[in-house]
Amino acid sequence: MLFLQFLLLAVLLPGGDNADAAPEHVSFHVIQTASFANQSWAQCHGSGWLDELQTHGWDHESNTISFLHTWSKGNFSNKEFLYLNVLFRAYSIGLIQDIQARASQYSVEYPFEVQMNAGCELHSGESPKSFFQVAFEGADLLSFQNTTWVPSPDCGSWAQSVCDLLNQYEGIKETVHTLLRSTCPRFLLGLLDSGKMYLHRQVRPEAWLSSRPSLGSGRLLLVCHVSGFYPKPVWATWMRNEEEQLGTEYSDILPNADGTWYLQVTLDVASEEAASLSCRVRHSSLGGQDIILYWGHHFSMNWIALVVVVVILVILIVLVLRFKKHCSYQDIL
Ligand SMILES: *[C@@H]1O[C@H](CO)[C@@H](O)[C@H](O)[C@H]1NC(C)=O
Ligand SMILES: *[C@@H]1O[C@H](CO)[C@@H](O)[C@H](O)[C@H]1NC(C)=O
Ligand SMILES: *[C@@H]1O[C@H](CO)[C@@H](O)[C@H](O)[C@H]1NC(C)=O
């Protein structure tokens, strides 16, 4: 059991207890989606991401990069961003015009979508890796490998001819290579530094329990909700006394709108066995003090708290009224 717990911890808490340790790998990438409705209408959406956190958008009004956090500029100067703006603008417009012009040549049918994902990845102790992948209608089409556009294996001759075309543009290949190999890792390191207060913050989770009927008759699905925590690594499980319940199931860790995370931990049990179960939550923000919620206790605990609050309020009101009366008598006298 202990071994299992350690295994789970190892899986769910990369980096272990030390929240300040540098992550094993971190990436910055730009996602671009170009939607083509017909021969005369297309739209491009771009965004920049530090791992799973969006740091940049693309402002369609001014055709410039938008910064979603105060630290999103990293250590790049405005001049450097001016250059990148010009580059991305020319690239988006050129890309759309080029694809529109050649859609009929490749007998592509409208509407369709082209997606790009490009960036770099730092692994501790290794040199940076970079990637540039292009997908057509959600399937891999081609990628950029060591200064050459390479078709995806099961894409056929179509992808090959697109690559042949792209590979003629030496200037573009050089620019892409520089952006991926030099600009991106440099920017990523600067971003990690300028955003370190935000990226290393600790936000405590809130946890609450609920249940819903399970499929089997006389069974309950107990749900432990853990929400609002940051950073992402978290450990939570259903326990009976000190024993971890092996049937515990985990949702994906989902993002909240404010950049914190949410997890659901469920356990399917016979209704009469629900008592004495508890949900235990461990997170770096809790400083070793796990949150433990007991099934069945939460209603009564809430009621007790409510009664206590009401009683205190009543006493306070009585005291205030008495004090006021007392004062006004004195005022008259
Ligand atoms: C092209 O698509 C846009 C957006 O869906 C639409 O508003 C426009 O009427 C279409 N134009 C033609 C020529 O079909
Ligand atoms: C990348 O390409 C260059 C020149 O085209 C070549 O010298 C180099 O060996 C290649 N590297 C890898 C890892 O394929
Ligand atoms: C930004 O920080 C990175 C990493 O510390 C450094 O390599 C780079 O020279 C700095 N300045 C710019 C303008 O990239």
Side-chain angles (χ1 to χ4, degrees):
M1 196 61 64
L2 207 63
F3 172 71
L4 250 174
Q5 185 161 339
F6 271 114
L7 208 67
L8 256 177
L9 263 174
V11 171
L12 291 170
L13 287 177
D17 292 333
N18 189 354
D20 286 335
E24 312 229 304
H25 54 86
V26 61
S27 69
F28 180 77
H29 61 131
V30 171
I31 296 177
Q32 195 175 37
T33 306
S35 308
F36 297 82
N38 50 46
Q39 275 191 334
S40 53
W41 194 96
Q43 200 174 50
C44 242
H45 282 286
S47 51
W49 299 75
L50 178 60
D51 280 332
E52 295 166 300
L53 174 72
Q54 190 182 350
T55 48
H56 300 81
W58 183 259
D59 187 86
H60 288 279
E61 304 267 299
S62 59
N63 261 323
T64 52
I65 298 166
S66 59
F67 303 98
L68 303 191
H69 298 275
T70 51
W71 47 271
S72 289
K73 284 190 177 175
N75 65 353
F76 275 24
S77 62
N78 287 338
K79 200 174 142 208
E80 206 141 6
F81 275 109
L82 221 56
Y83 168 71
L84 289 174
N85 269 331
V86 169
L87 205 63
F88 286 138
R89 203 177 305 152
Y91 160 79
S92 312
I93 294 169
L95 177 88
I96 287 183
Q97 284 176 348
D98 231 32
I99 294 180
Q100 291 284 45
R102 293 175 197 275
S104 59
Q105 180 186 335
Y106 291 110
S107 41
V108 173
E109 280 182 27
Y110 290 96
F112 63 89
E113 202 146 47
V114 177
Q115 294 163 295
M116 270 145 292
N117 180 29
C120 56
E121 209 172 72
L122 298 175
H123 294 261
S124 51
E126 286 177 42
S127 53
K129 290 198 171 80
S130 59
F131 50 89
F132 194 136
Q133 297 146 329
V134 182
F136 176 80
E137 287 289 86
D140 284 341
L141 179 67
L142 52 94
S143 60
F144 191 70
Q145 314 245 344
N146 190 28
T147 71
T148 310
W149 297 102
V150 181
S152 294
D154 20 84
C155 256
S157 58
W158 186 61
Q160 182 64 58
S161 56
V162 174
C163 287
D164 290 344
L165 175 74
L166 289 175
N167 280 326
Q168 293 170 12
Y169 300 115
E170 291 296 337
I172 294 179
K173 287 197 294 187
E174 236 165 72
T175 307
V176 170
H177 185 70
T178 309
L179 281 177
L180 292 179
R181 283 300 164 120
S182 159
T183 315
C184 182
R186 206 157 43 84
F187 182 62
L188 173 52
L189 283 173
L191 200 59
L192 286 175
D193 189 51
S194 66
K196 62 174 180 275
M197 291 286 280
Y198 185 85
L199 300 168
H200 290 182
R201 75 197 195 282
Q202 293 283 333
V203 187
R204 296 165 70 94
E206 268 184 64
W208 67 96
L209 306 177
S210 70
S211 72
R212 46 179 185 259
S214 177
L215 280 180
S217 67
R219 296 190 71 82
L220 267 182
L221 194 67
L222 305 185
V223 187
C224 177
H225 308 257
V226 187
S227 186
F229 56 90
Y230 185 92
K232 193 176 183 182
V234 68
W235 178 88
T237 193
W238 280 100
M239 324 257 300
R240 190 183 300 286
N241 304 320
E242 286 301 300
E243 206 171 302
E244 230 174 273
Q245 297 301 289
L246 289 179
T248 303
E249 289 194 6
Y250 302 88
S251 71
D252 289 333
I253 300 181
L254 302 170
N256 283 323
D258 64 358
T260 61
W261 296 97
Y262 172 81
L263 169 72
Q264 249 186 38
V265 184
T266 52
L267 183 66
D268 189 338
V269 289
S271 309
E272 64 274 13
E273 284 173 10
S276 85
L277 281 168
S278 61
C279 174
R280 184 169 194 139
V281 181
R282 193 166 296 165
H283 186 260
S284 51
S285 65
L286 296 170
Q289 297 270 311
D290 296 357
I291 295 177
I292 304 174
L293 296 176
Y294 291 92
W295 178 255
H297 284 212
H298 59 297
F299 292 116
S300 49
M301 287 305 275
N302 282 347
W303 277 112
I304 290 169
L306 190 66
V307 168
V308 169
V309 167
V310 167
V311 167
I312 291 176
L313 265 180
V314 167
I315 291 174
L316 271 179
I317 290 170
V318 168
L319 279 179
V320 166
L321 286 180
R322 279 194 161 192
F323 184 67
K324 266 198 162 171
K325 255 190 188 164
H326 190 67
C327 285
S328 43
Y329 284 143
Q330 280 190 339
D331 286 348
I332 293 166
L333 291 173

